[in-house]
């Protein structure tokens, strides 16, 4: 009787498992244990590929870092050269401005001197003309006096 009882219980359990299996179906197929073992053995190969990719990326990053450092150094050198050129050009500009001021002053002095010379020449010419005119007037006056005295 016990054997029947155990057999009935195992039958009931089997039916219960089948019913539950139909009520709650498995949503996705699971990989078998063989596939998991294969994945474990393939994992080092994947890790090696990931490691290679990491090293390549790291090397590219180092190269880019070196290029960036070189570019920064080059730009700093260029900036330094440009600042030196700017300083040199400012000094040259200042010298040229001083020369220009000196030349303008020389031109003004020359213009003043020329104006003085012109005024002196005009004054001399006017004095000569005035001398001749006064000489004629004086002769005329003397001639008139002599003519009056003669009468």
């Amino acid at each position: 009787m016990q054997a029947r009882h155990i057999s009935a219980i195992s039958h009931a359990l089997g039916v219960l498992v089948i019913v539950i299996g139909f009520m709650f179906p498995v949503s996705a197929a699971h990989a078998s244990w063989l596939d998991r073992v294969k994945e474990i053995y393939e994992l080092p190969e994947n890790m090696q590929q990931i490691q290679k990719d990491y090293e390549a990326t790291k090397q590219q990053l180092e190269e880019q870092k070196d290029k960036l450092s070189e570019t920064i150094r080059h730009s700093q050198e260029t900036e330094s050269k440009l600042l030196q050129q700017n300083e040199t050009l400012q000094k040259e500009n200042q010298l040229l401005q001083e020369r220009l001021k000196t030349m303008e002053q020389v031109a003004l002095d020359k213009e003043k001197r020329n104006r003085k010379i012109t005024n002196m020449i005009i004054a001399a010419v006017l004095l000569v003309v005035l001398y001749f005119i006064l000489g004629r007037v004086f002769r005329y006056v003397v001639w008139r006096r002599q003519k009056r005295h003669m009468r």
Side-chain angles (χ1 to χ4, degrees):
M1 185 126 180
Q2 277 186 342
R4 271 189 190 178
H5 197 348
I6 293 177
S7 175
I9 291 177
S10 59
H11 251 312
L13 281 175
V15 171
L16 186 62
V17 168
I18 291 173
V19 169
I20 291 175
F22 283 123
M23 290 177 68
F24 301 107
V26 177
S27 62
H30 294 288
S32 70
W33 64 274
L34 186 60
D35 290 338
R36 288 185 187 220
V37 170
K38 285 182 182 177
E39 285 179 7
I40 290 172
Y41 283 109
E42 288 177 4
L43 188 61
E45 290 178 14
N46 289 341
M47 283 299 290
Q48 288 175 355
Q49 182 63 36
I50 291 170
Q51 185 71 24
K52 286 178 184 177
D53 291 345
Y54 171 75
E55 291 297 326
T57 304
K58 186 177 175 182
Q59 186 177 1
Q60 287 177 352
L61 182 61
E62 285 296 323
E63 289 173 2
Q64 288 178 355
K65 183 180 173 184
D66 292 342
K67 286 180 183 178
L68 180 61
S69 297
E70 181 66 24
T71 302
I72 289 172
R73 187 187 60 75
H74 181 68
S75 67
Q76 287 173 342
E77 288 175 0
T78 304
E79 181 182 7
S80 176
K81 287 178 185 178
L82 289 175
L83 287 173
Q84 288 175 349
Q85 283 180 343
N86 190 22
E87 196 173 303
T88 303
L89 290 174
Q90 284 178 345
K91 288 178 182 177
E92 288 178 12
N93 189 21
Q94 186 176 6
L95 288 173
L96 289 173
Q97 286 178 349
E98 289 174 7
R99 283 184 185 173
L100 181 63
K101 286 179 183 178
T102 304
M103 291 175 71
E104 286 175 349
Q105 188 62 40
V106 167
L108 287 173
D109 292 345
K110 187 176 179 180
E111 187 178 328
K112 279 183 180 179
R113 189 183 70 230
N114 288 342
R115 204 174 298 137
K116 273 186 178 179
I117 291 172
T118 304
N119 288 340
M120 289 172 65
I121 290 173
I122 291 172
V125 168
L126 287 176
L127 285 174
V128 169
V129 169
L130 186 61
Y131 173 75
F132 283 116
I133 291 174
L134 286 176
R136 293 289 176 188
V137 169
F138 183 69
R139 282 186 191 170
Y140 179 72
V141 169
V142 170
W143 178 73
R144 282 288 257 178
R145 278 190 184 171
Q146 283 180 356
K147 196 174 180 186
R148 247 194 233 172
H149 285 298
M150 287 184 151
R151 284 191 206 167

